[in-house]
Amino acid sequence: MIYADTHTHLYLEEFDADRRKVVENALAAGVTKLFLPNIDSVSVHPMLALCNEFPDNCFPMIGLHPTSVKENYMDELAAIECWLSDRKFSGIGECGIDLYWDKTFAIEQEFVFRHHIDLARAHNLPLIVHIRESFNEVIRILKDVNKSDLRGIFHCFSGSVEQARQAIGLGFSLGLGGVVTFKNNKMQETLKQIELKHLVLETDAPFLSPMPYRGKRNEPAYIPLIAQKVAEIKGISLREVSEATSENALKMFGN
Ligand code: NI
């Protein structure tokens, strides 16, 4: 069985000691396509180095993470434009709104997110949206922009059936990560009711490890644990989950 990890930050320092081994672990587990959302103008360099080392397996995206929106956001946006004119990227992100960590730059975060929406449309690329404590704000902005040619992923989705339908109605898929394996998460009912064609898998490595690795460093090789849980909840085979979610991911990213 093969899988795609649609959201992994393998270029972060948490993997400096054994990055190559972590990619090999992923390949051994059947996780053959790894999509890397960017964070800022510094992280782009180690990200591209990894993608150059594994050109058949690691694919870069470009964007400014909402928690990295600071005073210098205009310079960061200029750097993104520069990169986009220079080489191919698989998506725009990680972008969106984060009202969990720090609200100091909330207005700037919205400006930057809207800019990323424009970039995704201009380059016909999927948009990877971060929605931490900001689901309603993100929906408001996407509705306000009101463009039917947008596609992308609500990263780390853990909401209700109704929220899932709102995201899908705007053209987005749901990114499912380790949270679906946690006890007492709210996703059971949502997953039962939402069709497989709207779902993709992601680790968000090194963060948010699925059970039984919760609290430890996450890595793409754990994607099958998330798939197994989705199969269990939906009462279908692991193969169905693997096939549908990897097909959804490849269609989304055009790989
Ligand atoms: Ni992320």
Side-chain angles (χ1 to χ4, degrees), residues 7-9 11 37-39 65 94 128 130 155 204-205 207:
H7 195 118
T8 176
H9 300 282
Y11 49 82
N38 188 39
I39 291 175
H65 194 288
E94 175 166 356
I128 308 308
H130 176 110
H155 157 54
D204 202 18
F207 314 108

Side-chain angles (χ1 to χ4, degrees), residues 3-6 33 35 126 153 173 197 199-201 243-255:
Y3 300 92
D5 184 348
T6 61
K33 303 286 179 188
F35 296 93
I153 298 170
S173 297
K197 67 177 178 188
L199 308 178
V200 293
L201 305 180
E243 280 175 4
T245 55
S246 34
E247 195 186 308
N248 297 343
L250 300 192
K251 212 164 110 192
M252 167 82 63
F253 291 104
N255 280 73

Side-chain angles (χ1 to χ4, degrees), residues 10-21:
L10 273 188
Y11 49 82
L12 291 179
E13 64 179 10
E14 282 86 344
F15 298 103
D16 280 356
D18 60 350
R19 190 170 285 109
R20 174 170 270 277
K21 177 84 173 71

Side-chain angles (χ1 to χ4, degrees), residues 23-227:
V23 175
E24 284 162 6
N25 291 346
L27 298 180
V31 187
T32 57
K33 303 286 179 188
L34 311 174
F35 296 93
L36 284 71
N38 188 39
I39 291 175
D40 60 23
S41 59
V42 175
S43 65
V44 70
H45 299 284
M47 176 180 71
L48 291 177
L50 181 64
C51 294
N52 289 337
E53 197 180 343
F54 296 94
D56 297 327
N57 308 106
C58 295
F59 306 96
M61 303 192 231
I62 191 77
L64 179 61
H65 194 288
T67 60
S68 295
V69 173
K70 309 281 183 218
E71 290 87 351
N72 68 341
Y73 69 95
M74 288 305 284
D75 295 337
E76 288 283 340
L77 291 180
I80 290 171
E81 304 266 2
C82 219
W83 279 111
L84 276 167
S85 65
D86 195 52
R87 63 158 290 156
K88 184 180 180 294
F89 289 90
S90 293
I92 298 293
E94 175 166 356
C95 64
I97 307 279
D98 188 305
L99 299 177
Y100 177 81
W101 291 108
D102 183 1
K103 298 185 183 71
T104 313
F105 292 96
I107 290 168
E108 290 83 355
Q109 281 192 35
E110 177 164 344
F111 176 87
V112 168
F113 180 40
R114 285 175 182 269
H115 189 88
H116 281 66
I117 295 171
D118 293 341
L119 289 175
R121 296 187 61 234
H123 294 269
N124 187 25
L125 288 170
L127 192 65
I128 308 308
V129 189
H130 176 110
I131 52 170
R132 193 152 191 204
E133 299 287 321
S134 64
F135 182 84
N136 292 335
E137 284 76 8
V138 165
I139 292 288
R140 169 179 61 76
I141 294 164
L142 288 173
K143 278 190 173 158
D144 179 48
V145 170
N146 190 24
K147 296 296 181 204
S148 59
D149 55 354
L150 274 173
R151 70 183 194 281
I153 298 170
F154 270 47
H155 157 54
C156 198
F157 183 85
S158 59
S160 64
V161 180
E162 203 236 324
Q163 287 178 322
R165 294 208 169 114
Q166 279 183 284
I168 292 165
L170 289 161
F172 286 78
S173 297
L174 312 178
L176 305 178
V179 174
V180 305
T181 69
F182 299 171
K183 272 211 180 85
N184 303 323
N185 78 80
K186 298 178 297 185
M187 284 293 285
Q188 302 250 345
E189 196 50 38
T190 306
L191 283 178
K192 277 181 199 155
Q193 297 206 31
I194 299 297
E195 285 179 89
L196 261 182
K197 67 177 178 188
H198 302 299
L199 308 178
V200 293
L201 305 180
E202 57 174 44
T203 56
D204 202 18
F207 314 108
L208 282 172
S209 281
M211 294 298 280
Y213 301 108
R214 190 172 182 179
K216 304 208 173 81
R217 185 186 72 171
N218 199 0
E219 60 174 86
Y222 299 160
I223 281 281
L225 295 169
I226 300 163

